[in-house]
Amino acid sequence: MEDTFTPLQLQVEGASLRFCRYGGQVLSWQPADGQERLFLSDRSLYQSGQAIRGGVPIIFPQFSGRGSLPKHGFARDRAWALLQWDEDSGQAELELRESLETLQIWPFAFRLVLKLQLRPQQLQLQLTVENCDRQPWSFTAALHSYLAVPDLATVHLQGLQGRWGTEQTTGDRWQEMECDRHFPQAIDALYEAPAQPLTLLAPPWSALQICQTGFTETVIWNPGSAGVSQIGDLASGSEQQFLCVEAAVVQSPPRLEPGEIWQGQQVFQVG
């Protein structure tokens, strides 16, 4: 059987994307300028039952500890099936369905499809959730995108102004008033999804535009230096090399009737 951790690759006009069947996870994205735009920890364990630290983990059917399942659910540490891998079109599709193991902890039939589309300056990720059961069920989900930055101290994130945010560790709630959000310390904030695209400015790299549809929240996360010291698969100092900007659906869990589907998308555009 093929090793589910073996990286698969797409290339389009100078851009490249690497992903693997384990977790249905994107590991690396370099647009045509050759700059790596996703952070991947060099301490990731690549072991069955362990999430890969970095890239774009798929969170389903539970976000964080908001429920009785293991943190962030189980989709990120299962072997997905490869439905499509078309290097000519820069497309790939992966699928995850229920198994005896998932039914023991979440007793519902489901189908997830992750569609990847690579273009010279763009990466599209679309997650489709289908209820294959005979009864309705609800879920929460996220694309836990680890965006690489050269130095977090110089990073600006634009586009959150006017949105309500909640600090997940304290429950503090506020309306974001800053046009340019900086990150001098640890953050774990859940924002209402902005109507306009976000722009990540991380000089000297080109600006990165971030759009999402379907997902109702945007999560901004960085553990800070104290948090990294408690995370075994992150090296000391690595908190300065990434900022998670996640497309999420959390506060109003979608409820799917039998046969219904839900879709959410996150798009990254350079320049």
Side-chain angles (χ1 to χ4, degrees):
M1 180 179 177
E2 176 192 354
D3 183 356
T4 57
F5 292 102
T6 300
L8 306 173
Q9 184 164 303
L10 294 171
Q11 292 183 311
V12 174
E13 298 179 32
S16 67
L17 178 73
R18 290 192 302 114
F19 63 97
C20 66
R21 289 179 50 226
Y22 186 81
Q25 189 152 338
V26 173
L27 304 171
S28 166
W29 169 49
Q30 295 183 13
D33 64 8
Q35 179 61 59
E36 177 60 60
R37 291 292 184 150
L38 294 178
F39 169 85
L40 184 64
S41 175
D42 58 10
R43 292 192 176 182
S44 290
L45 300 177
Y46 300 99
Q47 295 177 356
S48 181
Q50 297 287 330
I52 299 172
R53 176 71 66 179
V56 187
I58 307 299
I59 307 306
F60 175 90
Q62 176 184 294
F63 181 80
S64 190
R66 296 174 178 242
S68 60
L69 296 178
K71 185 177 181 180
H72 285 327
F74 50 71
R76 63 179 184 163
D77 58 15
R78 306 286 161 169
W80 291 50
L82 183 64
L83 299 182
Q84 180 189 18
W85 180 22
D86 188 342
E87 295 187 79
D88 292 334
S89 65
Q91 289 187 358
E93 289 189 12
L94 299 107
E95 176 191 64
L96 181 68
R97 290 179 176 268
E98 77 280 355
S99 65
L100 291 177
E101 292 179 340
T102 67
L103 288 169
Q104 288 177 354
I105 59 174
W106 196 66
F108 303 111
F110 68 90
R111 180 175 183 254
L112 302 183
V113 175
L114 178 67
K115 182 177 181 179
L116 307 174
Q117 174 68 68
L118 177 67
R119 294 191 171 96
Q121 305 294 339
Q122 186 184 86
L123 172 61
Q124 297 180 9
L125 303 97
Q126 179 179 278
L127 182 66
T128 300
V129 181
E130 180 180 357
N131 182 350
C132 301
D133 212 287
R134 296 181 179 180
Q135 58 183 315
W137 45 257
S138 301
F139 70 94
T140 51
L143 300 176
H144 196 315
S145 304
Y146 285 74
L147 302 182
V149 298
D151 183 357
L152 186 64
T154 67
V155 165
H156 304 242
L157 185 64
Q158 299 176 338
L160 287 172
Q161 61 270 23
R163 313 310 290 178
W164 285 92
T166 303
E167 176 59 44
Q168 297 193 86
T169 56
T170 64
D172 292 343
R173 184 168 166 79
W174 71 96
Q175 187 175 29
E176 187 63 65
M177 303 307 294
E178 296 185 32
C179 295
D180 286 314
R181 187 70 158 83
H182 300 267
F183 304 95
Q185 57 191 7
I187 184 172
D188 187 2
L190 182 73
Y191 284 94
E192 297 172 340
Q196 71 276 16
L198 299 174
T199 301
L200 183 70
L201 302 175
W205 299 354
S206 301
L208 181 66
Q209 190 177 77
I210 308 163
C211 303
Q212 65 182 65
T213 57
F215 293 98
T216 52
E217 286 88 32
T218 298
V219 178
I220 311 298
W221 180 73
N222 184 280
S225 59
V228 161
S229 68
Q230 301 176 33
I231 300 175
D233 53 3
L234 280 174
S236 176
S238 62
E239 74 280 357
Q240 297 299 316
Q241 301 169 15
F242 71 86
L243 181 68
C244 288
V245 181
E246 311 168 36
V249 55
V250 176
Q251 293 181 317
S252 296
R255 176 183 170 89
L256 297 182
E257 297 293 330
E260 286 188 334
I261 67 169
W262 172 94
Q263 284 187 334
Q265 181 173 257
Q266 188 174 44
V267 180
F268 301 108
Q269 174 79 41
V270 171

